[in-house]
């Protein structure tokens, strides 16, 4: 079997390949092919991936290509992981939003809107090619904003698309580590939308423990995803929130912290990536392969250790020196995707959190609405769990964001400026027609092009 990665020059590809190495034989995968429009960066990523393969002494066939049709042809699984406009587009997205006094995080609010408007038309073009050259391939969409992008692809008729986000799985791993159990022995049930979901059940050895966890100050303070929230809020909800709900539940704190930060998150990422690629570009892969890999890992550590520190006002995590760094095991995006492939190949199946069509999972939403929920994945397909008794305040927020997502998709389909403004106006982090209109105009000025007619 063959996996193709569209957007293979992304820095996370190295970690993706490392995760694949641990499981490719069990999943009957012989080849990984990387494609990207940035050929220079793709060459550097290829060298790093090859060093990872050599270190592990594996025989996975890795290749890169400059023709997307070649990458797609014969693929059984296709990963889409794009950043249309490059890292600097994220800087623009966040900076414009902050200048207008709103949160502009790349997936949440107007930052996610701008990224989606740039990205969805490009992905739709790729999907047309996939339909022609690999019609039976399963598409794993890693591209952010994942839920909104997946909604657009599904709406366009591409049913073989599964939205992937590593936030729920990473949260579950950290919860299991804190509780001293194996991840597989902990059942954690999520529901909602991508970057807008809640945990409604946590079972250890079949016993429900969520009420106990909500009473446990130490647990709430030491699990990364929960420590940023007011504990009284979590106990009042009776649920554990996805970390991105911080932007809604503590909006003024997040905005104040982002405004006083020396640089928006996107600018920090851009600077890290530029410095990393500059250093890697002058290294010799034949004689300095391991030094290249350690340099890459150092910069990736720098990137990950500052995650959400600006928004929450927290400190960056401590750094390990070069030479002592291991390649992450790929249990994030790659892990979820590989778990999904494993589940689809098995009778017993497994439970995973995916962005898929609702199909009755959350009764208050339409069947075709893409939701992020715990799913049973097996040879029988992907079956979202049934979610009942959603608290009304959660449901109001879900409906608002889903309505916003559907309007964004409609605006792109119809090239409608009015619908785009209405979508932004609906978003609870904006909630104003005049502000929505100004934001759209300011993005057009920043990018020096019309977003809609």
């Amino acid at each position: 079997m063959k996996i193709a990665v569209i957007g293979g020059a992304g820095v996370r590809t190295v970690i993706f390949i490392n995760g694949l190495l641990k499981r490719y034989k069990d999943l009957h995968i012989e080849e990984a092919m990387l494609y990207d429009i940035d050929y220079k960066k793709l060459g550097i990523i290829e060298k790093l991936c090859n060093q990872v393969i050599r270190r592990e002494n594996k025989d996975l066939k890795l290749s890169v290509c400059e023709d997307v049709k070649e990458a797609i042809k014969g693929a059984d699984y296709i990963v889409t992981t794009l950043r249309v406009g490059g890292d600097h587009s994220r800087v623009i997205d966040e900076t414009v939003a902050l200048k207008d006094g709103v949160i502009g995080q790349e997936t949440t609010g107007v930052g996610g809107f701008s990224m989606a408007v740039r990205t969805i038309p490009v992905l739709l073009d790729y999907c047309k090619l996939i339909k022609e050259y690999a019609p039976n391939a399963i598409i794993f969409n890693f591209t952010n904003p994942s839920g909104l992008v997946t909604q657009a692809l599904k709406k366009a008729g591409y049913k073989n698309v599964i939205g992937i986000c590593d936030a729920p799985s990473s949260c579950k791993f950290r919860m299991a580590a804190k509780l001293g159990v194996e991840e597989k022995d902990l059942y954690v049930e999520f529901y909602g939308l991508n970057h807008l979901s809640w945990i409604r059940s946590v079972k250890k050895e079949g016993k429900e423990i969520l009420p106990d966890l909500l009473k446990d100050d130490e647990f709430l303070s030491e699990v990364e995803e929960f420590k940023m929230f007011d504990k009284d809020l979590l106990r009042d909800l009776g649920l554990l929130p996805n970390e991105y709900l911080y932007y809604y539940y503590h909006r003024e704190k997040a905005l104040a912290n982002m405004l006083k930060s020396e640089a928006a998150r996107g600018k920090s990422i851009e600077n890290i990536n530029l410095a990393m690629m500059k250093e890697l570009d002058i290294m010799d892969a034949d004689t300095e392969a391991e030094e290249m890999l350690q340099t890459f890992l150092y910069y990736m550590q720098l990137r990950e250790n500052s995650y959400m520190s600006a928004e929450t006002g927290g400190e960056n995590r401590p750094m390990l020196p070069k030479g002592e760094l291991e390649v992450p095991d790929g249990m994030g995006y790659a892990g979820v995707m590989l778990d999904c492939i494993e589940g689809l190949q098995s009778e017993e199946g497994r439970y995973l959190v995916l962005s898929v069509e609702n199909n009755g999972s959350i009764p208050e939403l339409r069947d075709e609405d893409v939701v992020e929920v715990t799913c049973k994945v097996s040879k029988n397909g992907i079956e979202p769990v049934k979610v009942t008794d959603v608290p009304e305040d959660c449901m109001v927020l879900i409906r608002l964001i889903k309505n916003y997502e559907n309007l964004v998709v409609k605006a792109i389909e119809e090239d409608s400026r009015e619908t785009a403004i209405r979508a932004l106006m609906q978003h609870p982090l904006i909630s104003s027609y005049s502000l929505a209109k100004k934001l759209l105009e300011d993005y057009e000025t920043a990018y020096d092009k019309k977003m809609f007619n």
Side-chain angles (χ1 to χ4, degrees), residues 237-273:
L237 286 172
L239 304 164
L240 291 170
N242 178 289
E243 61 199 319
Y244 287 84
L245 280 160
Y246 179 80
Y247 296 116
Y248 299 88
Y249 289 146
H250 297 294
R251 179 174 58 180
E252 80 292 348
K253 290 183 180 179
L255 181 57
N257 287 330
M258 292 167 84
L259 287 169
K260 73 181 181 184
S261 176
E262 292 181 4
R265 171 73 175 166
K267 186 62 178 175
S268 299
I269 295 297
E270 182 184 38
N271 290 340
I272 290 168
N273 286 348

Side-chain angles (χ1 to χ4, degrees), residues 383-450:
E383 304 170 74
V385 300
K386 300 297 181 186
V387 180
T388 57
D389 303 322
V390 178
E392 186 57 27
D393 51 354
C394 296
M395 200 62 239
V396 166
L397 197 49
I398 290 171
R399 286 196 197 97
L400 268 174
I401 297 301
K402 180 45 65 178
N403 189 48
Y404 150 80
E405 289 184 350
N406 285 327
L407 285 170
V408 173
V409 173
K410 183 179 180 183
I412 294 169
E413 282 179 333
E414 300 177 355
D415 191 20
S416 169
R417 187 177 194 81
E418 291 76 14
T419 305
I421 293 170
R422 189 152 60 95
L424 284 173
M425 181 180 70
Q426 291 287 315
H427 200 288
L429 295 182
I430 299 169
S431 297
S432 162
Y433 177 83
S434 53
L435 180 56
K437 190 174 181 179
K438 184 176 189 306
L439 282 163
L440 185 57
E441 291 168 353
D442 288 349
Y443 276 109
E444 290 177 331
T445 300
Y447 282 104
D448 193 25
K449 64 178 292 187
K450 284 278 188 185

Side-chain angles (χ1 to χ4, degrees), residues 95-107:
T95 302
V96 170
L98 290 173
K99 282 182 179 177
D100 283 340
V102 297
I103 291 169
Q105 200 274 341
E106 68 164 339
T107 64

